[in-house]
Amino acid sequence: KYLSILLLLMGAGACNTAGTRPPASRSAADSVLQSDILRPVTDSIKLFPDSHELYYRRALLLFNTNPALALADFEKAAKLLPGNTDYWAGAGEAALLISDYKKAAACFQQALTTAPGYTYLEYRLATALIENKQYSQADSLANVLAQTKDARDKAFYLKARMAEDRLDTAAAISHLTSAIRAAGAQPEFEAVMELGDLLRSRKSPNALTYYKLAWRLDTTNAHPLYEAGRFQEELGNESAALAIYRQCIVADPGFEQAYLAMGKIHRNKKEWKEAYTYFNLAARSAPTDAWAYYYRAQSQDQLGNNALAIDDYTKATSFKKDFREAKEALQRLKP
């Protein structure tokens, strides 16, 4: 769930984009390596095949789009210079991305031989072990991390992951609560949201506290507020839900789900003018969403605006070809 700080700290300088595109006859991998941005590095590797720096540079450029190829280059760089921590760590991150958890664990273990006691590497190793269902080893590492100052929160997060795999929700909630407390002012956004979701699954009002905390961690992200609004609806607090959905719109005026949610609350009360207002805003925010047009059409239908309803039902079917409800409404309204 986390991109390694090692990779975040290692900037990959942009290569020159000169050069022609490779012929179609090349293999897929060759085509990638001969793309405009990678070709200068690939050509340099041909000239200097024992340069670990070049393999590493190309691996960074490949990481986000072709992690399997990045893994091969990270490994090549690591074999050429086995004592370099970043090379092994990069290989571990790439292996995680392609779900090769056994290799990821092996790479992080190699990285730790070059940097013993590096807590972030221990955390990533434990993550790979959990993904590979090696829980006892992961738990041992989590216990080590729990004794540190800089990674104590990660230890509890790991324990929460293992508890969730065991379907032990109570233990997962306890560990995530400890993780967030241990992190102080800057807990992990994902951990806070996950705790909110788990508490919500138990109908605990405390879920709202963590959704709002997640939003405070990233006030440009309206999703935590939206989930808080949905939970208020589940608790039967529609007025509170509407207030939170309005906060969503302030945080992100283009957040379609909030408009739809507000429209549905008014639709359920048969307040069709208010429902239309929000469904109209949803359609404007997401002009290819068939459901936004369907709900707007439904409001127009109820308000007696048949021509406008037909137009919106037609738009809904254009974006969702198998839209049975919209097609049935058209058959009912068309003369």
Side-chain angles (χ1 to χ4, degrees):
K1 291 191 175 182
Y2 306 96
L3 180 63
S4 170
I5 54 173
L6 296 171
L7 292 172
L8 290 174
L9 291 172
M10 299 184 293
C15 296
N16 294 328
T17 56
T20 57
R21 296 188 179 277
S25 60
R26 296 184 189 273
S27 70
D30 284 345
S31 294
V32 171
L33 298 180
Q34 290 295 331
S35 64
D36 289 346
I37 196 169
L38 288 167
R39 185 177 178 183
V41 188
T42 299
D43 289 346
S44 296
I45 287 173
K46 290 177 182 177
L47 292 174
F48 305 101
D50 295 325
S51 171
H52 54 88
E53 295 100 332
L54 289 172
Y55 287 104
Y56 175 63
R57 185 179 183 185
R58 190 171 69 178
L60 290 175
L61 292 171
L62 287 163
F63 183 81
N64 287 319
T65 55
N66 290 278
L69 294 178
L71 172 59
D73 276 353
F74 279 130
E75 288 187 297
K76 180 66 176 178
K79 288 175 182 176
L80 289 168
L81 190 65
N84 188 296
T85 305
D86 291 343
Y87 296 173
W88 289 114
E93 295 292 348
L96 279 177
L97 282 181
I98 64 171
S99 303
D100 189 343
Y101 303 124
K102 183 177 181 181
K103 175 163 284 190
C107 290
F108 287 125
Q109 285 169 335
Q110 286 289 341
L112 280 165
T113 65
T114 68
Y118 189 174
T119 54
Y120 194 81
L121 288 174
E122 291 173 333
Y123 165 63
R124 296 306 276 165
L125 171 57
T127 300
L129 291 170
I130 290 171
E131 296 288 2
N132 205 40
K133 312 301 182 187
Q134 295 174 264
Y135 296 117
S136 61
Q137 293 162 271
D139 192 55
S140 295
L141 272 174
N143 289 334
V144 171
L145 292 172
Q147 304 306 312
T148 67
K149 290 184 178 180
D150 61 326
R152 191 163 178 263
D153 61 322
K154 301 291 192 295
F156 290 117
Y157 185 73
L158 291 166
K159 287 181 176 290
R161 284 279 310 276
M162 288 184 277
E164 286 191 72
D165 283 359
R166 297 192 305 269
L167 304 180
D168 188 345
T169 302
I173 288 172
S174 175
H175 290 312
L176 282 172
T177 303
S178 296
I180 291 165
R181 287 175 180 166
Q186 289 297 318
E188 296 286 356
F189 176 87
E190 293 86 351
V192 176
M193 284 296 293
E194 195 164 350
L195 179 54
D197 290 342
L198 289 174
L199 289 167
R200 177 179 169 184
S201 72
R202 295 195 156 195
K203 304 296 183 185
S204 170
N206 288 334
L208 294 168
T209 299
Y210 291 100
Y211 285 140
K212 290 177 182 178
L213 172 59
W215 177 68
R216 288 197 296 273
L217 292 171
D218 182 3
T219 55
T220 64
N221 185 347
H223 182 69
L225 289 175
Y226 173 69
E227 294 300 333
R230 288 185 62 200
F231 185 44
Q232 288 283 25
E233 280 197 78
E234 292 165 12
L235 294 175
N237 303 326
E238 287 186 345
S239 60
L242 285 169
I244 294 176
Y245 290 140
R246 291 188 191 99
Q247 280 187 275
C248 284
I249 302 309
V250 173
D252 181 358
F255 197 79
E256 183 212 9
Q257 294 100 313
Y259 292 124
L260 286 176
M262 287 189 282
K264 288 177 183 178
I265 288 175
H266 289 292
R267 182 193 65 167
N268 293 340
K269 294 180 177 180
K270 301 190 183 304
E271 297 170 348
W272 295 108
K273 287 184 179 180
E274 293 84 352
Y276 168 79
T277 297
Y278 291 113
F279 292 140
N280 183 44
L281 289 168
R284 291 184 179 184
S285 298
T288 61
D289 183 358
W291 282 104
Y293 289 111
Y294 175 77
Y295 289 127
R296 190 171 75 175
Q298 196 176 59
S299 301
Q300 295 281 30
D301 192 351
Q302 292 294 324
L303 291 168
N305 301 323
N306 285 11
L308 294 173
I310 288 171
D311 185 53
D312 274 348
Y313 282 133
T314 301
K315 287 178 182 176
T317 59
S318 72
F319 292 115
K320 188 177 185 319
K321 302 300 183 184
D322 60 344
F323 207 148
R324 179 179 55 81
E325 295 91 339
K327 289 179 179 179
E328 289 176 354
L330 281 172
Q331 288 178 347
R332 174 174 53 81
L333 290 177
K334 282 187 175 179

